[in-house]
Amino acid sequence: MAYSRSGRALLLAAVALLGARFFLTLTPTAPELGFTGVASTSQRLSRTCMGARKFFVGGNWKANGSPESVKQLVADLNAGQVTAKDVEVVVSPSFIYLNEVKAALRPDYAVAAQNLWDKAPGAWTGETPAAMLKDNGLDWVVLGHSERRENCGETSQVVADKTKFAIDNGLSTITCIGEKLEERESDTTFDVLDEQMKPIAAALSEAEWDKVVIAYEPVWAIGTGKVASPEQAEEVHAFLRKWLADNVSQKVSDSVRILYGGSVNDGNCVELGQKPNIDGFLVGGASLNGASFTTIVNAAS
């Protein structure tokens, strides 16, 4: 049977449409996460293959280290064999070691400050303005850690203002949120996270979220040896993902990386990292051991 040129084009289009429908029926779709946090490891693999969210591991050294121990830690990190192919790594020494670590650390690891002053350089005794961090070649800063919220009186609004100021000055942020034990036990975790996230969402444009990594750190699990179960952590991460979709945009929800922090170590990182909404870790004590931290970095693979 002969077909005209237009007839052949219509026939080819119909075949293509049928083929696409057939392919879609064979392709599994992700379950609705809601707040249950239940999804398979294969979803993380397929999502990573699509390049949606690059795995991220941060190391918060806090106020730890001597000249000798910092030098040794950098040497151990430099010697670590990273087998993960798609992971971003940032370590955060105390201020006094920032330049030293940046100069000596392997080039595939970045360095972050643990705080900043959200004003221009000037008469601010004891503070370090964002511009000084940027002028010294830093691209990252940790903000809103629970220890600063608790011990330095930083409110959620202060954390949001600092996040915005950091971005305005060319820095990317690891902005921390998380609930205390009594808030977890009184079943107000989501209310607390909502209160912490709202000022950040109000301060940032959609485009500025590209410069933000959110670190969920349940305060009751920081430095205590207690760890949220993978299911508990995933439930909160799924809530945050939905919160971003509802309060910012679906684009931001799909792209922003949400880390888990709270006694992450080389023994629990793989199981935690398999959850589809956990995009990496902010590591405390285990980041002070080069071999342990390297193992956590390799959890991305």
Side-chain angles (χ1 to χ4, degrees):
M1 181 182 297
Y3 293 98
S4 67
R5 180 175 299 178
S6 59
R8 288 196 299 271
L10 288 172
L11 179 61
L12 289 172
V15 170
L17 179 59
L18 287 171
R21 287 180 176 175
F22 176 74
F23 174 78
L24 288 173
T25 62
L26 296 179
T27 303
T29 57
E32 186 66 37
L33 287 174
F35 304 120
T36 63
V38 178
S40 69
T41 303
S42 63
Q43 289 172 286
R44 165 168 285 287
L45 296 176
S46 63
R47 186 197 67 198
T48 302
C49 290
M50 291 186 293
R53 296 190 298 270
K54 187 175 184 178
F55 207 77
F56 187 106
V57 179
N60 181 11
W61 298 1
K62 306 188 180 184
N64 290 295
S66 65
E68 294 76 19
S69 68
V70 167
K71 185 177 295 184
Q72 184 60 57
L73 178 53
V74 170
D76 292 342
L77 292 174
N78 289 345
Q81 297 298 311
V82 176
T83 57
K85 301 300 183 184
D86 194 29
V87 60
E88 186 170 5
V89 183
V90 178
V91 299
S92 185
S94 59
F95 274 98
I96 197 168
Y97 298 118
L98 281 172
N99 283 339
E100 174 187 341
V101 171
K102 187 176 186 305
L105 190 65
R106 56 194 296 164
D108 54 336
Y109 285 11
V111 176
Q114 295 178 15
N115 186 36
L116 59 72
W117 182 240
D118 56 345
K119 302 289 188 297
W124 312 108
T125 301
E127 298 293 348
T128 307
M132 287 186 174
L133 300 178
K134 192 64 181 176
D135 289 346
N136 278 274
L138 297 181
D139 294 317
W140 286 93
V141 60
V142 178
L143 296 173
H145 193 279
S146 63
E147 290 157 4
R148 293 202 57 83
R149 291 177 186 260
E150 183 71 16
N151 301 321
C152 303
E154 293 193 357
T155 65
S156 295
Q157 187 61 56
V158 167
V159 175
D161 292 343
K162 284 188 170 184
T163 299
K164 171 64 172 171
F165 193 83
I167 294 169
D168 287 347
N169 282 267
L171 296 168
S172 295
T173 76
I174 304 169
T175 300
C176 304
I177 58 174
E179 83 282 6
K180 298 178 181 179
L181 180 60
E182 58 267 27
E183 294 163 340
R184 160 68 64 166
E185 291 178 338
S186 64
D187 199 28
T188 59
T189 293
F190 293 167
D191 295 330
V192 171
L193 298 179
D194 177 69
E195 182 274 331
Q196 293 173 340
M197 289 291 291
K198 278 180 176 176
I200 302 171
L204 303 183
S205 69
E206 184 181 62
E208 286 171 332
W209 281 94
D210 289 343
K211 305 285 284 184
V212 176
V213 172
I214 293 293
Y216 166 62
E217 296 197 299
V219 180
W220 49 271
I222 298 175
T224 64
K226 298 179 180 179
V227 185
S229 70
E231 291 71 28
Q232 287 175 315
E234 171 63 15
E235 180 181 36
V236 175
H237 282 235
F239 165 77
L240 291 169
R241 189 82 58 204
K242 186 176 187 302
W243 192 97
L244 288 168
D246 292 344
N247 294 275
V248 184
S249 72
Q250 188 62 52
K251 177 182 177 182
V252 168
S253 174
D254 291 339
S255 62
V256 166
R257 291 172 289 184
I258 305 175
L259 314 182
Y260 173 75
S263 297
V264 176
N265 57 53
D266 53 357
N268 59 32
C269 57
V270 172
E271 187 177 11
L272 285 164
Q274 288 175 346
K275 294 300 181 181
N277 285 293
I278 297 178
D279 302 313
F281 309 109
L282 183 57
V283 186
S287 69
L288 300 174
N289 181 292
S292 295
F293 189 71
T294 301
T295 298
I296 297 169
V297 170
N298 285 329
S301 56

